[in-house]
Amino acid sequence: MAAPETTAGEESKATILAILAENRIMSLATLRADDWPQVTLVGYAHDDLTLYCTVGRSSQKLANIARNPRVSVAIGHDEPRRLRGLSMSGKAAPVTDMEEIERLNRVIAGRYPEQTIFAPRETSCAVLRITPKLVSIIDLAKTPGLPSLVEVVSETVVRHVDSQQADAIMRESAAPQVPRI
């Protein structure tokens, strides 16, 4: 028999993947140089729990991410008697590996069959990978008013956390990285 945390983690991961599949637009929040947030709607694709989007090379989003890779994402929709979505904290980085881009092109072709190019309206764009760290799942049909918090432990594994653990995870993620010698 699976441990209860494993089962709960698997259920939460399945919910996250379902929400990602139900939607095609996300709000991407970055921090400007003056520390004010900037939020933009962008299309996205996902490979398991990793999100991908494209941004113009001359965009404020890319400049913000180059300065500070921490981002927040919000995805969701409402229906009569149901609000379903998630918010995600993670780190964004440009994708430069051609194998990853080729794999992503296959994912995009399945997700956006009507588009031949997954890009903003600029002639030069960057593909971003968003690696989530903490996800808040909102499904008001199941748990009115109470989000479920999960830590993304690896590319494929999540575990439930409480709000104190979530705060500690975010503090740890915000700490400056000390180079290893």
Side-chain angles (χ1 to χ4, degrees):
M1 178 190 275
E5 183 58 38
T6 302
T7 302
E10 290 168 356
E11 284 180 25
S12 292
K13 181 181 175 185
T15 300
I16 292 167
L17 292 174
I19 292 168
L20 293 175
E22 293 166 4
N23 298 277
R24 293 175 26 141
I25 302 293
M26 67 180 177
S27 297
L28 174 63
T30 60
L31 285 173
R32 298 181 338 181
D34 60 8
D35 288 331
W36 280 89
Q38 176 186 0
V39 180
T40 309
L41 291 174
V42 294
Y44 71 91
H46 70 97
D47 185 8
D48 208 330
L49 297 171
T50 303
L51 301 181
Y52 293 91
C53 65
T54 59
V55 297
R57 288 215 174 266
S58 62
S59 71
Q60 184 65 50
K61 286 182 295 300
L62 190 58
N64 294 345
I65 289 166
R67 200 174 31 263
N68 184 340
R70 292 179 300 151
V71 299
S72 288
V73 168
I75 300 170
H77 61 276
D78 69 336
E79 301 170 359
R81 295 188 263 216
R82 183 174 195 174
L83 177 64
R84 184 168 158 99
L86 57 82
S87 63
M88 214 180 252
S89 299
K91 293 197 176 176
V95 177
T96 57
D97 178 67
M98 286 310 295
E99 287 182 25
E100 186 174 6
I101 289 174
E102 288 172 10
R103 186 178 72 251
L104 179 58
N105 282 332
R106 290 188 295 275
V107 170
I108 290 167
R111 185 155 175 86
Y112 294 96
E114 72 282 4
Q115 289 186 259
T116 56
I117 297 174
F118 185 64
R121 288 178 245 150
E122 295 185 32
T123 57
S124 180
C125 68
V127 176
L128 296 178
R129 174 192 329 101
I130 300 171
T131 306
K133 185 66 179 163
L134 190 68
V135 181
S136 176
I137 304 166
I138 301 159
D139 193 342
L140 293 183
K142 293 183 180 176
T143 55
L146 299 175
S148 175
L149 296 172
V150 295
E151 176 187 18
V152 180
V153 180
S154 71
E155 290 183 20
T156 59
V157 177
V158 302
R159 74 176 180 95
H160 281 265
V161 295
D162 62 30
S163 60
Q164 288 180 336
Q165 291 170 312
D167 289 345
I169 291 163
M170 296 316 297
R171 277 193 306 277
E172 178 184 299
S173 295
Q177 299 298 315
V178 177
R180 291 187 179 171
I181 300 175

